[in-house]
Amino acid sequence: MNIGIVGLGLIGGSLGLELRGLGHHVLGLSRQKQTCEVAQEHGIVNQASIEPSILRMCNLVFLCPPVGQIVSVAQQIEPYLNTQAILTDVGSVKGAICQTLTKLWPRFVGGHPMAGTAQSGILAAEPDLFRHRPYVLTPIPETDPQALALVSQIVDSLGAKRYICSPAAHDRAVAWISHLPVIVSAALIRAGGQETDPELAQLAQSLASTGFRDTSRVGGGNPELGRMMAEFNQDELLFCLKIYQQELNALIEKISIGDWPGLENYLAMTKQLREHYSLD
Amino acid sequence: MNIGIVGLGLIGGSLGLELRGLGHHVLGLSRQKQTCEVAQEHGIVNQASIEPSILRMCNLVFLCPPVGQIVSVAQQIEPYLNTQAILTDVGSVKGAICQTLTKLWPRFVGGHPMAGTAQSGILAAEPDLFRHRPYVLTPIPETDPQALALVSQIVDSLGAKRYICSPAAHDRAVAWISHLPVIVSAALIRAGGQETDPELAQLAQSLASTGFRDTSRVGGGNPELGRMMAEFNQDELLFCLKIYQQELNALIEKISIGDWPGLENYLAMTKQLREHYSLD
């Protein structure tokens, strides 16, 4: 199959590598001439170009720009798509994108491969990035069933764990497990930064260990990604944050009044709840 | 030197192993006869007993029971100590312990080895547990300088990174980097547990990945340890929680009003702040 990849970063590049390995003919589109050259040299695509006409022969096109640019990039490439082509994206928030792009292109299927590394950019591309990782597809009632079937088949061929749900369910789920943790963790780092005694702040920094390291990791991540996830998933994130705030207040209350058995019960329940998650 | 270890769990056992390796004669005291047998069989101590009289010949005694029992155990063994003996503890909160035990035993020095594993109990004991890990000593004005010098020397011989500060500074620092993260992380787990749509809750559990895993890790830990750290460090933990609450509210405000540049700035600052911490 001829497969187009629009946006050759970590996700686009890794898709290219894996799909080429599966025998597809992969055509890349990037804004940067240099990225096209790197993608060709590293065998990430069969051919790459800065001209959207490269997509004309594609049966399937993956939209892989940053989430904030997916709709505008789709509008730019739409005139160049083969009328039978199936379009899919890799955006980390799905509500608005699925509504808008299904209207723009009836053979659109929303998708979100939940894979990544600490790296970004074409040179970070890895085959196997999607293997055993969740890949969520988010059809809406208007979605073309044939398009969904084809994208499903490709996702399965990547070795990913495929999930199918509504865009709204996806956006709530990722707010809980991905976007809320970023905010919770950022507030932790910034709270410690409010310590006014410099010697004490330095002592805390020296004593910090795995507990602080892990709890603060996602709050110390890419600020632009953090901003985008909040901007594009604002309502679901605020919903989760309100509930988080209530839980935090309940804990502060228990600690304030010295309800130690109540606190221990609470922590016993969190220990148990956490075991329900699929954590490697 | 004859060194006594009171309480043969992970920390006491690991101290025993390491100190024996350094050529000391190690005498263990445990409430459990079986623990004494295991400690002897595994070469963790030279000799162990359930009788506190085993401590009579010790020059230095480590108090290693759970933090909530350190004062009462110290009172129980005090009549059996050699008058010249130096006493130290390994409790994770220092304020009250240092005041009380310095009155009980003038040659007391408060200590906190910041080392551990996910395991507990004598069978989890490891030599090298303290190597390159922080070990905080918390003298007060009344502390005997000779006692501090000797405990310092022993801590250095374990290969630990020794820090010396007041009990209050220690307790504030560990509230920031160890106790606050537990509460922040527990509230995250419990908030997700409030999702009322069972299919959605299951989807979130399936999609959870490294971000959720790391941010939720310490909140899903030992409930009894979590309770003790809050109970014994209540004031400092509440101080940190109030500041955390303000930071969380500031973030919710930015997201509510859609102040995306403000959010990105905030996250850029957390990224930078996190780099000040000594994280492996």
Side-chain angles (χ1 to χ4, degrees):
Chain A
M1 197 186 301
N2 290 334
I3 300 183
I5 314 264
V6 180
L8 297 169
L10 170 67
I11 297 292
S14 299
L15 276 170
L17 270 176
E18 187 71 20
L19 292 168
R20 278 205 67 194
L22 291 166
H24 298 289
H25 189 72
V26 176
L27 299 155
L29 175 65
S30 169
R31 289 215 172 112
Q32 312 289 330
K33 215 171 162 134
Q34 211 201 329
T35 305
C36 294
E37 284 161 13
V38 171
Q40 284 181 177
E41 276 164 24
H42 286 71
I44 288 167
V45 295
N46 294 85
Q47 210 184 319
S49 170
I50 57 167
E51 298 295 339
S53 55
I54 195 170
L55 302 174
R56 281 196 197 284
M57 306 300 291
C58 294
N59 315 98
L60 171 64
V61 173
F62 283 87
L63 288 167
C64 309
V67 64
Q69 296 166 30
I70 288 175
V71 169
S72 65
V73 167
Q75 288 161 339
Q76 287 160 38
I77 62 151
E78 184 263 341
Y80 300 90
L81 295 178
N82 180 311
T83 50
Q84 291 306 303
I86 290 167
L87 188 64
T88 187
D89 79 317
V90 300
S92 57
V93 182
K94 304 262 53 93
I97 288 175
C98 291
Q99 285 302 325
T100 310
L101 294 196
T102 304
K103 274 180 203 139
L104 178 78
W105 195 259
R107 307 193 80 194
F108 172 80
V109 180
H112 179 201
M114 299 188 68
T117 68
Q119 313 300 313
S120 61
I122 182 97
L123 291 171
E126 313 185 347
D128 279 357
L129 187 70
F130 309 101
R131 193 162 304 273
H132 309 308
R133 304 294 315 144
Y135 197 124
V136 190
L137 297 179
T138 57
I140 59 177
E142 298 86 342
T143 300
D144 177 339
Q146 277 189 315
L148 177 61
L150 183 107
V151 177
S152 296
Q153 193 187 315
I154 292 285
V155 166
D156 292 349
S157 73
L158 301 173
K161 287 193 268 185
R162 176 163 49 88
Y163 293 87
I164 296 194
C165 66
S166 69
H170 167 275
D171 291 353
R172 171 73 63 83
V174 296
W176 281 125
I177 55 95
S178 171
H179 304 168
L180 177 61
V182 169
I183 302 300
V184 160
S185 173
L188 173 67
I189 299 170
R190 195 70 176 265
Q194 303 293 337
E195 174 56 56
T196 50
D197 177 338
E199 272 185 48
L200 220 154
Q202 214 186 340
L203 180 68
Q205 287 160 10
S206 304
L207 299 184
S209 178
T210 51
F212 185 84
R213 180 193 67 199
D214 289 357
T215 320
S216 67
R217 187 174 64 77
V218 296
N222 184 324
E224 204 187 330
L225 283 184
R227 170 221 174 120
M228 280 196 296
M229 107 230 151
E231 188 172 348
F232 291 92
N233 207 16
Q234 184 181 22
D235 292 347
E236 297 297 343
L237 177 56
L238 280 172
F239 174 90
C240 296
L241 274 166
K242 290 285 156 63
I243 295 175
Y244 180 77
Q245 211 172 19
Q246 288 163 17
E247 291 300 328
L248 184 71
N249 293 347
L251 275 165
I252 292 176
E253 173 68 10
K254 283 186 207 307
I255 297 168
S256 295
I257 64 172
D259 176 10
W260 309 126
L263 178 64
E264 193 170 331
N265 275 342
Y266 189 105
L267 297 175
M269 204 167 304
T270 59
K271 184 176 160 65
Q272 209 173 22
L273 273 169
R274 187 172 185 265
E275 286 160 7
H276 296 162
Y277 287 82
S278 314
L279 306 173
D280 317 330
Chain B
M1 199 186 295
N2 289 335
I3 300 183
I5 312 261
V6 181
L8 296 169
L10 170 67
I11 297 291
S14 299
L15 275 171
L17 269 177
E18 187 70 20
L19 292 168
R20 278 204 67 194
L22 290 166
H24 298 289
H25 189 72
V26 175
L27 299 155
L29 174 65
S30 169
R31 288 214 174 112
Q32 312 290 330
K33 213 169 167 142
Q34 210 199 330
T35 305
C36 295
E37 285 161 14
V38 171
Q40 284 180 178
E41 277 164 23
H42 286 71
I44 289 167
V45 296
N46 293 85
Q47 209 184 319
S49 170
I50 56 168
E51 298 295 340
S53 55
I54 195 171
L55 301 174
R56 280 193 198 284
M57 303 302 290
C58 294
N59 314 97
L60 171 64
V61 173
F62 282 87
L63 288 167
C64 308
V67 64
Q69 295 166 29
I70 288 175
V71 169
S72 66
V73 168
Q75 288 161 338
Q76 287 161 37
I77 62 152
E78 185 263 343
Y80 299 90
L81 295 178
N82 180 311
T83 50
Q84 291 306 303
I86 290 168
L87 187 64
T88 186
D89 78 319
V90 301
S92 56
V93 182
K94 305 262 53 99
I97 288 175
C98 291
Q99 285 302 325
T100 311
L101 294 196
T102 305
K103 274 180 205 138
L104 179 78
W105 194 260
R107 305 194 81 194
F108 172 79
V109 180
H112 179 201
M114 299 187 68
T117 68
Q119 314 299 313
S120 61
I122 182 98
L123 290 172
E126 314 185 345
D128 280 357
L129 187 70
F130 309 101
R131 194 162 303 272
H132 309 309
R133 304 293 317 144
Y135 197 124
V136 190
L137 297 179
T138 56
I140 59 176
E142 298 85 343
T143 300
D144 177 340
Q146 277 189 317
L148 177 61
L150 183 107
V151 178
S152 296
Q153 193 188 317
I154 291 285
V155 166
D156 293 348
S157 74
L158 300 172
K161 286 192 270 183
R162 175 164 50 88
Y163 293 87
I164 297 194
C165 66
S166 69
H170 168 276
D171 290 353
R172 170 73 63 82
V174 297
W176 281 125
I177 55 97
S178 171
H179 305 168
L180 177 61
V182 169
I183 302 301
V184 160
S185 173
L188 174 68
I189 300 170
R190 194 69 176 267
Q194 303 293 337
E195 174 57 56
T196 50
D197 177 339
E199 273 185 47
L200 219 154
Q202 214 185 340
L203 179 68
Q205 286 160 10
S206 303
L207 300 184
S209 178
T210 50
F212 186 84
R213 179 194 66 198
D214 288 357
T215 321
S216 68
R217 187 174 65 77
V218 296
N222 184 326
E224 203 186 331
L225 283 186
R227 168 219 175 122
M228 279 197 296
M229 103 224 156
E231 188 172 349
F232 291 93
N233 206 16
Q234 185 181 20
D235 292 346
E236 296 297 343
L237 178 57
L238 281 172
F239 174 89
C240 297
L241 273 166
K242 289 286 155 62
I243 293 175
Y244 180 78
Q245 212 172 17
Q246 289 164 16
E247 291 298 328
L248 184 72
N249 293 348
L251 275 165
I252 292 176
E253 173 67 10
K254 282 184 208 307
I255 296 168
S256 295
I257 63 171
D259 175 10
W260 309 127
L263 178 64
E264 194 171 330
N265 274 343
Y266 189 106
L267 296 174
M269 205 167 303
T270 58
K271 185 175 159 66
Q272 208 174 23
L273 272 169
R274 187 171 186 266
E275 287 159 9
H276 296 162
Y277 287 81
S278 316
L279 306 173
D280 319 328

